[in-house]
Amino acid sequence: MFSLSSTVQPQVTVPLSHLINAFHSPKNISVSVNTSVSPKQHRDTVPEHEAPSSEVIVHPNLSYMRKPFDPALNLKDLGLSELKIGQIDKLVENLLPGFYKDKRVSSCWHTSHISAQSFFENKYGHLDMFSTLRSSSLYRQHPKTLRSICSDLQYFPVFIQSRGFKTLKSRTRRLQSTSERLAEAQNIAPSFVKGFLLRDRGTDLESLDKLMKTKNIPEAHQDAFKTGFAEGFLKAQALTQKTNDSLRRTRLILFVLLLFGIYGLLKNPFLSVRFRTTTGLDSAVDPVQMKNVTFEHVKGVEEAKQELQEVVEFLKNPQKFTVLGGKLPKGILLVGPPGTGKTLLARAVAGEADVPFYYASGSEFDEMFVGVGASRIRNLFREAKANAPCVIFIDELDSVGGKRIESPMHPYSRQTINQLLAEMDGFKPNEGVIIIGATNFPEALDNALIRPGRFDMQVTVPRPDVKGRTEILKWYLNKIKFDKSVDPEIIARGTVGFSGAELENLVNQAALKAAVDGKEMVTMKELEFSKDKILMGPERRSVEIDNKNKTITAYHESGHAIIAYYTKDAMPINKATIMPRGPTLGHVSLLPENDRWNETRAQLLAQMDVSMGGRVAEELIFGTDHITTGASSDFDNATKIAKRMVTKFGMSEKLGVMTYSDTGKLSPETQSAIEQEIRILLRESYERAKHILKTHAKEHKNLAEALLTYETLDAKEIQIVLEGKKLEVR
Ligand SMILES: Nc1ncnc2c1ncn2[C@@H]1O[C@H](COP(=O)(O)OP(=O)(O)OP(=O)(O)O)[C@@H](O)[C@H]1O
Ligand SMILES: [Zn+2]
């Protein structure tokens, strides 16, 4: 493996400004108002209502609803943004005499009980007349005249900044003005506030008539002026209607929620507990019928399945078992690493016996409130007993039944454990309730829990062996489309230590990769790809590696490969690549023929030699001055093996068949003897690797060149190159 040391690791950096732009540009494009209001200011201002300006409409649910941005609707330019509602009334009254009276009455209008200054306000609230004015046809006909009217209006005594940034201060100031206050009052404030806000409205305006006269709007155009207003009105009306509808809806929802809250409070003063109790418990005591999951679905854990088989028989017919006086365990503890199928097994037990399955996670019972965890346990068991025979499954049993000292973090854990113990003691073996607990740390469990009569049967669910992994891979491969050439066993051999869940993920990722690449079927290539991805992190195709580093990596990796190929006890090669992945620039993967339960001295030495191959290659090809940092993890690996050989496996003649566990506590002589032995093993290994690479210099060169051309070579291709044959062009 050619590992990247942190000093040379190239980093992909995204300039901060790009990020900022990426986050902000959409907002900036759509609207300029309020984007820079800080969250605090939001909090301070949201209970009130944002003055309806032409761009932003704020709902009480605090979400901003924006009309699509229309650059033509810029009130500020017109000088109309600072207009009072009373002024609008006058304007309309003058422009369209009788307009209010004649207007069609919408079916859902409602009477305000606080009278506003005009009928229009009472009925429609505050409208932004001037945006509608601008969008009307009149504006297009008389842009100049209208603009000057508007600029006159600007000098009316109102001090409202309706665009730009909003501050708390400007907000308060705005509240003292009238038109927006009205709008706010109508939209969100309760009626007594409305009364208060409306009291001091005072608007005495010059009539628009006068204005029109001073601005000399010709007679003939006054009709058009009015029509323009009418058009604008209708548009604005529709908009207000929409806003009001949604406001009403939100208010209704809030009201209902409030009612619920009050009801809860009346029923139980400890509101939060009650809420959590009911919701949490309901979910805990809902049984799931697990007919569809059977032992057939759980692969690679044959022993566990066999042990659980008798539990299934018992659940099918509890009486039959107890007639003879035999006792079945009440509780079964499934012990194993995460993702090995413990939950699946428990479900399969219920499914096989065709009984209800109650699932609960230990962490659900861990409560800050007194008695809640315990009462959940009580409810769970009550439900289960009523529906026996059944299976109760408690995942993460250690988080409820752990040996905890009472800590402030888990104040009532003791109570919860005691409740669990009491419940388990409280029913008879033939009642037909089986409790299955799962844990990754059996040693963390409270001793009281594993006494006879409680969780007294332990079933280990280990990580699958190569046979188990093959079965699991086959099982999940059968759910996707895969090529005939796929050999699950090869993948299984390369995935030592994978759990069932990880293997499922591997197959899934391969399927995704095939889909992304537009393939019709999953092949070995995708499976290998996703295996490497899970083992080593994603490929880093975007990383630009210069030719010099590529060449070094190619020789380094072929060094490993050549040693592996020509050393008798080394594992067979599976693949060599110079594709950067995770923290590495390239790697060679070897595949044990089988899971190795034991390793011989020769095998360990061979592993060390293969590790040395990378650095030796660099030294031989580029010279001592040009060796790189890329071999550090190789040396780690080799040193670990050598150390274990000396201190654990009794494989050093000098130190004999003895183990040395805590090397720090040994005498200085012994320590230095151990160091000496490790050093010798490593040096000899280095020399062996050098010898092989010198002998096969030609093959080494060929392989490195093939890697530079093809980036990745599989076992067969490596063999072809090393036999001196030509690779087929891919
Ligand atoms: N042996 C297996 N056979 C088939 N599928 C498996 C196996 N092990 C795990 N899986 C798959 O992985 C998923 C997760 O496994 P499961 O939740 O049963 O693991 P677990 O041991 O309960 O893990 P945890 O300890 O994290 O709760 C399962 O739903 C299943 O799809
Ligand atoms: Zn290496």
Side-chain angles (χ1 to χ4, degrees), residues 12 15 58 127 173 176 231 238 253 255 269 282 307 341 382 487 586:
V12 187
V58 185
L127 284 184
R173 195 147 21 98
Q176 283 157 13
E231 276 178 17
I253 293 168
F255 183 65
D282 287 346
E307 284 189 70
R382 192 181 48 227
D487 186 352

Side-chain angles (χ1 to χ4, degrees), residues 95-168:
L95 286 166
L96 304 168
F99 176 80
Y100 293 141
K101 254 182 276 150
D102 299 339
K103 227 139 87 88
R104 271 156 285 150
V105 176
S106 99
S107 57
C108 50
W109 78 276
H110 63 113
T111 319
S112 159
H113 297 286
I114 312 290
S115 199
Q117 209 184 29
S118 73
F119 178 78
F120 172 74
E121 280 171 54
N122 272 338
K123 187 173 171 191
Y124 295 107
H126 167 70
L127 284 184
D128 194 335
M129 287 295 302
F130 294 90
S131 60
T132 47
L133 176 66
R134 275 190 58 107
S135 64
S136 73
S137 57
L138 183 75
Y139 187 81
R140 267 168 261 131
Q141 285 172 28
H142 305 283
K144 261 200 189 140
T145 328
L146 209 56
R147 197 184 296 265
S148 89
I149 291 175
C150 294
S151 67
D152 277 6
L153 284 172
Q154 204 174 344
Y155 301 112
F156 288 139
V158 188
F159 309 100
I160 308 161
Q161 171 66 311
S162 66
R163 294 194 100 213
F165 306 132
K166 191 172 61 177
T167 62
L168 201 55

Side-chain angles (χ1 to χ4, degrees), residues 298-299 301 336-344 395 440 461-464 472 476 497-504:
V298 199
K299 303 284 171 187
V301 280
T340 44
K342 298 184 290 295
T343 314
L344 203 62
D395 207 353
N440 309 330
V461 189
R463 289 208 176 85
I472 295 173
Y476 287 110
F498 273 47
S499 69
E502 283 167 322
L503 292 169
E504 184 186 3

Side-chain angles (χ1 to χ4, degrees), residues 568-570 596-608 641 644-645 649 651:
K568 186 174 150 272
D569 289 291
R596 286 189 168 180
W597 302 109
N598 261 320
E599 284 175 310
T600 62
R601 185 171 195 272
Q603 283 172 335
L604 291 172
L605 291 177
Q607 280 177 48
M608 285 170 64
I641 297 173
R644 277 178 21 234
M645 285 175 73
F649 305 145
M651 288 183 182

